[in-house]
């Protein structure tokens, strides 16, 4: 967490235009122990854990990313365990009454066409674009952010979210890989049957 924050221009105050929906932040905060261990967190992060946002509120994404990095060590013990749990949480979220209709019945092709709009439901200040979505069994997506905004664990978590969304839309045997093209650009390639 400290290395991530040190790489940003203003630590926790970096990229205030980048926000995520409270429902995503709660997936992180709800699993953190309310204990003395939280005292080591900076005040804004501690406050976010002690007073979780409403699902419809917007939360600074840098704060959520910092809490994810903290929780990988404090709760999950490994990045793999965290990413597995994030995938399971996304499957459950996309199967909820509030979001099922947006994903379940449209199929992978239409989901891809609407991916930037779906991204905007949960994120502000970052841009998701479909670079190549013509094939019936693959897609190339690009995520543009401020420099160094997305740590590697978040890039993996986004890949698991895209996998969950494609599966929710009916794709089978989904695989999503990613590559950092530069400090502000991540490309995701999804493939499925």
């Amino acid at each position: 967490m400290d290395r991530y924050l040190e790489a940003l221009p203003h630590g926790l105050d970096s990229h205030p235009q980048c926000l995520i929906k409270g429902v995503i932040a709660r997936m992180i905060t709800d699993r953190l122990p309310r204990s003395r261990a939280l005292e080591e967190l900076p005040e804004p992060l501690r406050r976010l854990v002690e007073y979780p946002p409403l699902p419809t509120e917007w939360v600074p994404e840098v704060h959520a990313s910092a809490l994810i990095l903290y929780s990988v060590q404090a709760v999950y013990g490994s990045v793999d365990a965290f990413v597995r749990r994030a995938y399971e949480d996304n499957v459950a979220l996309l199967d909820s009454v509030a979001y099922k209709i947006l994903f379940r019945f449209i199929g992978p092709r239409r989901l891809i066409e609407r991916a930037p709009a779906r991204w905007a439901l949960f994120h502000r200040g970052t841009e998701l674009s479909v670079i190549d979505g013509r094939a019936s069994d693959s897609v190339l997506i690009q995520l543009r952010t401020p420099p160094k905004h997305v740590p590697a664990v978040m890039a993996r978590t986004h890949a698991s979210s895209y996998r969950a969304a494609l599966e929710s839309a009916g794709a089978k045997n989904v695989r999503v890989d990613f590559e950092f093209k530069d400090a502000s650009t991540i490309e995701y390639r999804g493939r499925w049957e």
Side-chain angles (χ1 to χ4, degrees), residues 52 70 86 138 160 178:
Y70 174 80
S138 67
S160 75
F178 69 93

Side-chain angles (χ1 to χ4, degrees), residues 20-79:
I20 63 166
K21 207 65 171 229
V23 68
I24 297 172
R26 287 187 77 113
M27 285 187 222
I28 304 160
T29 61
D30 287 352
R31 292 205 170 43
L32 287 172
R34 307 310 194 263
S35 69
R36 294 181 59 92
L38 292 179
E39 291 176 8
E40 65 192 32
L41 289 173
E43 174 61 26
L45 301 184
R46 194 168 51 248
R47 196 170 46 248
L48 190 59
V49 174
E50 291 172 345
Y51 306 102
L54 295 173
T56 55
E57 284 184 85
W58 290 96
V59 174
E61 192 167 22
V62 166
H63 294 191
S65 293
L67 280 176
I68 283 171
L69 292 166
Y70 174 80
S71 71
V72 164
Q73 184 175 22
V75 177
Y76 297 94
S78 74
V79 170

